[in-house]
Amino acid sequence: MSKERFASFQDFWPYYLSEHRLPSNRLLHYIGTFLSLTLLAYAVISQQWLLILGCFIVGYGFAWLGHFVVEKNKPATFKYPLWSFIADYKMCYMALTGTLKNEWPKYF
């Protein structure tokens, strides 16, 4: 992980992308995000509020598996929890809309 502190999300975003270069790592993030959102919807609909804790376990579990096992790096969540959370949803959204492929040439 970079030792520098990022002053803005715009500065953080290229770093976040650099930590997600492998497609299999990104896929694990997408799976975790989708499953955690599905579980959140079920928790709200069924009013089983304890399941919301499971959203974090599922979402971060898949993402961290991607970092520790696939990408072999340390998740940005530990140092930048909010920006990392936002960037994960941005990355997923851009992947779903086909715009993520246009982000890589901007930074690498």
Side-chain angles (χ1 to χ4, degrees), residues 10-45:
Q10 291 169 329
D11 293 337
F12 173 76
W13 176 242
Y15 169 74
Y16 183 85
L17 287 178
S18 75
E19 296 291 294
H20 298 84
R21 290 180 191 251
L22 298 178
S24 51
N25 181 25
R26 292 193 305 273
L27 178 62
L28 286 168
H29 279 66
Y30 305 149
I31 291 169
T33 299
F34 174 77
L35 291 176
S36 67
L37 286 174
T38 303
L39 185 58
L40 177 63
Y42 179 75
V44 170
I45 290 167

Side-chain angles (χ1 to χ4, degrees), residues 44-100:
V44 170
I45 290 167
S46 67
Q47 296 184 354
Q48 296 182 40
W49 308 117
L50 197 55
L51 289 177
I52 292 175
L53 294 175
C55 296
F56 293 102
I57 294 167
V58 170
Y60 284 115
F62 277 91
W64 291 353
L65 183 68
H67 284 288
F68 292 127
V69 175
V70 176
E71 197 92 41
K72 307 250 192 282
N73 61 20
K74 188 175 175 184
T77 305
F78 298 140
K79 201 167 185 181
Y80 301 95
L82 181 60
W83 286 350
S84 180
F85 182 80
I86 294 168
D88 186 56
Y89 279 88
K90 179 178 180 175
M91 182 175 72
C92 288
Y93 174 79
M94 292 182 86
L96 283 172
T97 59
T99 57
L100 185 61

